[in-house]
């Protein structure tokens, strides 16, 4: 990192903050902290951090309220860091607009990687990249063309729409509901089996080994994550 990236860590555990501060600063982050929902909302508005690391169990409320409120006016990347392991908690946080989810206990390396991915995703959104290259796959959203190692890949309009949506959010976990709502509309938000069929069809066309997919990765019980674009 050539410039300092401001990160707000929202967690009421002093031990976590003491542990994270030197690790983040060593990796080029300028860390500030908040211990409550109210303080988090205030600091995000006043400090405008580049990224937020958010615990869900806060003394004055649920951290998901921070996500809900912040997403009304900001696209700041939010990585949830929480001991809550139930899939429904992850799904609710992601559906509200979190970029990723890391379970406690956690490794610093994994957290840093998820933070970098979330920051890259926001940069890609701002730059509005017309052509994305992911693992030998080239997706041209302007010409509606997909190639694999230079050869054309024939997709149906809906398959292209699905792949294009996933590619625009490369590196980010997308829930079944988010994908279904964006590609098929709110009325189909619960049709997870329908989505699995389409993902299976896409994998047949774009993956080198469908039994070990490397481009469209399944997040069990939650949704899908497409691989990071090539540098």
């Amino acid at each position: 990192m050539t410039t300092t990236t401001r990160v707000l860590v929202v967690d009421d555990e002093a031990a976590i903050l003491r542990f994270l501060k030197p690790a983040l600063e060593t990796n080029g982050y300028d860390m500030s902290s908040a211990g409550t929902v109210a303080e988090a909302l205030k600091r995000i508005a006043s400090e405008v951090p580049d990224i937020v690391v958010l615990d869900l169990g806060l003394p004055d409320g649920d951290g998901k309220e921070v996500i809900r409120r912040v997403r009304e006016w900001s696209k700041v990347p939010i990585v949830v860091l929480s001991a809550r392991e139930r899939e429904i908690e992850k799904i609710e946080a992601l559906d509200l607009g979190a970029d990723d989810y890391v379970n406690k206990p956690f490794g610093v390396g994994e957290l840093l990687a998820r933070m970098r991915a979330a920051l890259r995703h926001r940069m890609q959104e701002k730059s509005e990249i017309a052509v994305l290259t992911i693992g030998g796959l080239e997706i041209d959203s302007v010409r509606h063309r997909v190639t694999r190692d230079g050869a054309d890949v024939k997709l149906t309009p809906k398959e292209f729409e699905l792949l294009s949506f996933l590619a625009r959010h490369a590196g980010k976990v997308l829930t079944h509901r988010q994908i279904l709502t964006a590609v098929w509309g709110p009325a189909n938000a619960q049709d997870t089996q329908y989505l699995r069929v389409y993902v299976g069809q896409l994998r047949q066309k774009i993956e080198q080994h469908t039994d070990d997919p490397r481009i469209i990765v399944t997040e069990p019980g939650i949704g899908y994550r497409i691989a990071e674009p090539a540098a």
Side-chain angles (χ1 to χ4, degrees), residues 77-98:
I78 299 174
V79 176
V80 172
L81 179 64
S82 179
R84 298 181 185 176
E85 295 184 354
R86 293 194 307 153
E87 284 180 359
I88 188 63
E89 295 280 0
K90 300 178 184 180
I91 292 168
E92 288 176 355
L94 292 164
D95 277 341
L96 284 169

Side-chain angles (χ1 to χ4, degrees), residues 2 15 25 33 57 105-106 121 177 188 195 197 203:
T2 56
E25 290 180 347
S33 63
F106 64 96
H121 174 238
R177 177 186 290 272
N188 298 285
L195 176 59
V197 170
R203 283 173 168 164

Side-chain angles (χ1 to χ4, degrees), residues 47-200:
E47 298 178 3
V48 193
D50 297 302
I51 188 168
V52 176
V53 175
L54 173 69
D55 185 23
L56 296 183
L58 299 171
D60 63 336
D62 194 314
K64 292 195 292 291
E65 179 65 10
V66 175
I67 304 172
R68 188 186 68 78
R69 295 276 296 278
V70 169
R71 282 294 175 256
E72 293 175 355
W73 54 273
S74 173
K75 291 186 176 181
V76 61
I78 299 174
V79 176
V80 172
L81 179 64
S82 179
R84 298 181 185 176
E85 295 184 354
R86 293 194 307 153
E87 284 180 359
I88 188 63
E89 295 280 0
K90 300 178 184 180
I91 292 168
E92 288 176 355
L94 292 164
D95 277 341
L96 284 169
D99 291 79
D100 213 333
Y101 196 111
V102 178
N103 286 322
K104 292 181 180 178
F106 64 96
V108 172
E110 179 188 6
L111 176 62
L112 290 169
R114 299 294 179 95
M115 290 170 65
R116 290 193 296 269
L119 286 163
R120 281 195 297 270
H121 174 238
R122 289 300 180 214
M123 290 175 64
Q124 290 156 10
E125 279 191 334
K126 290 179 181 178
S127 62
E128 297 181 352
I129 299 172
V131 180
L132 289 177
T133 301
I134 304 172
L137 191 75
E138 186 174 277
I139 305 164
D140 188 330
S141 60
V142 175
R143 298 169 62 193
H144 281 233
R145 184 186 181 198
V146 177
T147 59
R148 172 83 200 187
D149 298 326
D152 283 334
V153 178
K154 302 299 183 184
L155 300 180
T156 67
K158 191 57 71 175
E159 287 171 346
F160 179 85
E161 188 178 352
L162 172 58
L163 181 61
S164 181
F165 178 73
L166 291 171
R168 288 198 303 272
H169 299 84
K172 178 179 178 180
V173 178
L174 295 170
T175 66
H176 297 123
R177 177 186 290 272
Q178 286 173 322
I179 301 168
L180 286 161
T181 299
V183 180
W184 283 276
N188 298 285
Q190 303 299 325
D191 295 337
T192 55
Q193 182 57 38
Y194 195 59
L195 176 59
R196 289 190 187 99
V197 170
Y198 265 85
V199 169

Side-chain angles (χ1 to χ4, degrees), residues 26-53:
T26 298
N27 284 274
Y29 291 92
D30 179 14
M31 177 184 142
S32 60
S33 63
T36 65
V37 170
E39 186 182 6
L41 293 170
K42 181 179 179 181
R43 283 186 175 272
I44 293 170
S46 62
E47 298 178 3
V48 193
D50 297 302
I51 188 168
V52 176
V53 175

